[in-house]
Amino acid sequence: MTSRPHTSRHHTTAAAESADVIVLGAGPAGLVVANLLQARGIDCVVLERATPDRVRTRARAGFLAANTVRILDRHGLSDGLHRHGRTHSVCEFRTDDGRFRLDYSALGLGERHTVYPQQALVSDLLTYYVKAGGRVRYETEALAVHDADSDTPSVSVRAPDGRPGRWRGRYVAGCDGRHGAARRSLPEGAVRHYRRDHHVTWLGLLAEAPPSMDAVGYAVHARGFAGHMARTSDITRYYLQCERGTPPGAWSEDRIWDELDLRMRAEEYGPLRRGRIVQRDLVDFESDVLEPLRHGALFLAGDAAGLISPSAAKGANLAVLEAELLALALTDALTGGDPTGLDAYSARCLTRVWPAQEFSHWLIELLHRSPGTDHEAPFHDRLRRARMTALRTSRSQQDWFAERYVGV
Ligand code: APR
């Protein structure tokens, strides 16, 4: 379907509320879309299932690529991250063959990450949006997107008091994540769904402890992967690969720290700084991509558009990139009647999504033993070691890594 020129503003009925753009979800994707639309005078609303408190405090990712920071800079959404975020540019690999460090700011494109907890970014984005007069409806769950292939799409919702409601609009930005209403509402056959299960599970841990090293730590160990990622001066994220289906509470704190010490080879490289574990979650590594990222007036961005496993921290960065493209395209359509941006939206995103998926997949294979116990696993293990050796010894391989690791 091609986009419609801007004719009328609202499609109001007595029972329904309306906005030109209905944004589902107040995560990084939805809030970047909403901020950009609001700043351009586009009538929009954000419908969010959770409470404001939950939205502002839910710990997720924390690594922002240089391109993401540039996007947020461009739109005046980056004060907080410049004030409180920390730049980061070193990763350290620990393996059976020793350890090595890569300062990726001195390799490839010479770019760095900014470490800024995602909940802080989301909280900033909400504050900017509300200050600019933006509308958010919390505790409002989108149930389904209706008539997306018509000029009069609508979203049925469950309001905070539990009663049904409906929003009518001209476009719907589906930014409500992998289990949201946007994905659910796609009719059979409307989009192609590419997916892959990597058969890897991480136990994600948030520890009230200062970072133990000045680098992202990736430890490859016969007992499974372990990872270290600084968040703030007193909060550190750790990851432990575990069996799929392990209950997050199955391991005691002591066992977790012992296992982290073991896999990160604390005996050789120094002990980890322990602290109380304040959050645990399980992450099954699954990747998927929907094509196209559109069905009529419904556009997908962020996790709703595709999942990327967290090994390379690309999820939030892709979400911001897609959100900017979508918001600018919606603005062109609604203010100038120009649909070209919307028509190109999916293809433009996908040229960024697939390289990110490819790198993420490469990194998963680098960091994990083959899940199979069959005769091919030892072969895979040798390939993995050869890949790690190339990364340790070859400058061109390191440049390749750096460019993809920090870029989107
Ligand atoms: N109705 C309304 N809101 C919903 C619904 C629904 N049916 N379902 C989910 N939501 C809300 C969630 O409560 C959440 O606030 O949508 C929001 C989705 O936000 P995220 O999950 O953060 O997704 P996104 O904005 O796409 O961010 C993507 O950030 O941390 C990374 O790995 C993460 O890749 C992901 C990225």
Side-chain angles (χ1 to χ4, degrees):
M1 189 189 106
T2 53
S3 309
R4 302 164 301 281
H6 187 205
T7 47
S8 69
R9 274 179 75 77
H10 295 278
H11 300 259
T12 317
T13 67
E17 299 188 83
S18 74
D20 278 347
V21 181
I22 304 166
V23 180
L24 308 184
L31 289 172
V32 169
V33 170
N35 268 286
L36 269 57
L37 293 178
Q38 184 69 24
R40 285 159 183 74
I42 303 289
D43 172 38
C44 63
V45 67
V46 177
L47 307 182
E48 166 57 51
R49 185 176 56 183
T51 61
D53 190 47
R54 173 93 181 117
V55 170
R56 286 181 188 267
T57 56
R58 187 171 35 198
R60 305 279 295 276
F63 270 63
L64 300 177
N67 188 56
T68 306
V69 176
R70 282 193 290 272
I71 292 174
L72 297 170
D73 283 343
R74 251 199 310 272
H75 303 290
L77 302 173
S78 57
D79 278 3
L81 71 91
H82 287 300
R83 215 168 321 127
H84 306 294
R86 302 187 301 172
T87 58
H88 190 283
S89 59
V90 180
C91 49
E92 178 171 314
F93 294 87
R94 297 181 177 183
T95 75
D96 288 342
D97 301 321
R99 71 170 165 175
F100 64 95
R101 289 162 72 88
L102 294 181
D103 177 354
Y104 49 87
S105 67
L107 295 162
L109 300 173
E111 295 192 326
R112 296 159 187 270
H113 283 113
T114 299
V115 183
Y116 191 52
Q118 187 167 313
Q119 67 272 29
L121 176 65
V122 164
S123 192
D124 293 352
L125 291 171
L126 262 177
T127 303
Y128 292 125
Y129 177 61
V130 171
K131 260 195 194 156
R135 290 188 284 170
V136 190
R137 295 295 168 87
Y138 294 103
E139 296 176 76
T140 298
E141 183 179 7
L143 300 175
V145 180
H146 306 273
D147 304 320
D149 55 356
S150 79
D151 283 350
T152 52
S154 66
V155 178
S156 51
V157 299
R158 186 181 298 120
D161 61 6
R163 286 196 303 181
R166 192 171 280 254
W167 281 82
R168 299 189 187 282
R170 305 194 62 214
Y171 297 104
V172 179
C175 306
D176 52 349
R178 67 182 298 191
H179 300 299
R183 273 194 182 210
R184 269 201 317 272
S185 304
L186 294 167
E188 187 76 29
V191 301
R192 181 145 183 206
H193 195 171
Y194 296 86
R195 65 183 108 193
R196 168 146 192 161
D197 183 343
H198 301 279
H199 301 288
V200 166
T201 298
W202 282 3
L203 175 60
L205 304 157
L206 210 57
E208 259 176 10
S212 297
M213 52 205 276
D214 61 351
V216 170
Y218 292 120
V220 180
H221 194 278
R223 293 173 66 85
F225 168 83
H228 163 283
M229 289 171 203
R231 279 289 179 273
T232 65
S233 54
D234 43 24
I235 297 280
T236 306
R237 191 108 166 108
Y238 285 95
Y239 293 102
L240 271 178
Q241 187 183 357
C242 62
E243 288 290 321
R244 182 153 298 178
T246 307
W251 296 15
S252 70
E253 294 207 4
D254 283 344
R255 176 161 177 223
I256 285 172
W257 286 112
D258 291 347
E259 193 68 31
L260 283 167
D261 269 343
L262 185 71
R263 296 189 194 180
M264 300 209 66
R265 299 169 174 84
E267 258 186 27
E268 282 161 88
Y269 305 126
L272 302 176
R273 300 168 79 174
R274 296 187 176 201
R276 199 162 64 91
I277 289 172
V278 291
Q279 189 184 305
R280 307 171 178 217
D281 46 85
L282 278 185
V283 191
D284 291 333
F285 276 37
E286 290 165 339
S287 305
D288 70 4
V289 179
L290 303 189
E291 281 195 18
L293 305 179
R294 169 183 197 178
H295 174 60
L298 168 62
F299 292 83
L300 306 172
D303 275 10
L307 294 174
I308 187 157
S309 62
S311 53
K314 300 275 184 224
N317 294 295
L318 284 173
V320 170
L321 186 145
E322 291 160 357
E324 185 196 39
L325 287 173
L326 179 55
L328 297 180
L330 285 167
T331 304
D332 286 348
L334 283 164
T335 60
D338 175 7
T340 48
L342 288 181
D343 292 338
Y345 169 71
S346 177
R348 289 181 70 189
C349 290
L350 291 167
T351 59
R352 312 297 273 274
V353 166
W354 281 112
Q357 288 283 2
E358 191 277 330
F359 178 74
S360 179
H361 190 260
W362 179 91
L363 192 59
I364 292 168
E365 290 194 340
L366 181 77
L367 298 177
H368 302 91
R369 289 177 169 260
S370 168
T373 50
D374 58 18
H375 62 285
E376 288 182 349
F379 187 89
H380 177 273
D381 194 46
R382 284 290 188 273
L383 292 184
R384 194 179 50 70
R385 287 175 80 162
R387 196 177 269 190
M388 193 65 91
T389 303
L391 187 59
R392 189 174 63 229
T393 57
S394 156
R395 170 68 199 238
S396 60
Q397 187 71 7
Q398 292 170 0
D399 284 326
W400 175 89
F401 171 83
E403 193 175 326
R404 278 155 189 81
Y405 185 61
V406 75
V408 263

